[in-house]
Amino acid sequence: QVQLVESGGGLVQSGGSLRLSCAASGSSFSIYTMGWFRQAPGKQRELVAKITRADNTNYADSVKGRFTISRDNAKKTVYLQMNSLKPEDTAVYYCNTAGSGWSWGQGTQVTVSS
């Protein structure tokens, strides 16, 4: 059973930056397309970025140009660099396979103040 542990969230002012990390256990990390998701209060969880095993990336329109997803297969870790943060980015951020195939971790809270 793969376990996912997200970290790096916090409180930041509008326009600031954060870098999230997600460490995965298990030996099959490198073959999966990985994604970062977020869930704001009262809203459904949404996929904001994904990265394939070949490092091809794709972003939701709402974060394109501001967020960058990357991965380190040796460390079984996926990252999300978030720049130019906006209050509407406030949410709990989670990682998972792009198809949400693994059990969810606890997530990491990102709060952007205006």
Side-chain angles (χ1 to χ4, degrees), residues 3-100:
Q3 290 187 319
L4 298 166
V5 180
E6 300 92 348
S7 61
L11 173 64
V12 64
Q13 288 188 332
S14 182
S17 299
L18 285 172
R19 189 192 193 209
L20 307 183
S21 298
C22 173
S25 63
S27 60
S28 58
F29 174 84
S30 63
I31 69 173
Y32 287 98
T33 293
M34 295 299 297
W36 278 99
F37 300 75
R38 68 184 180 188
Q39 187 167 22
K43 295 187 177 181
Q44 288 191 329
R45 192 171 294 173
E46 61 172 342
L47 177 65
V48 297
K50 61 182 179 181
I51 183 167
T52 70
R53 58 189 296 182
D55 287 343
N56 296 311
T57 59
N58 187 268
Y59 300 91
D61 288 342
S62 57
V63 307
K64 199 171 294 183
R66 301 187 298 120
F67 290 10
T68 302
I69 188 171
S70 60
R71 68 192 297 165
D72 184 332
N73 289 332
K75 295 182 178 180
K76 299 179 185 177
T77 300
V78 60
Y79 304 98
L80 188 67
Q81 177 67 43
M82 306 187 295
N83 299 327
S84 303
L85 283 161
K86 304 175 181 180
E88 50 264 44
D89 295 318
T90 295
V92 180
Y93 284 72
Y94 303 85
C95 72
N96 207 322
T97 64
S100 309

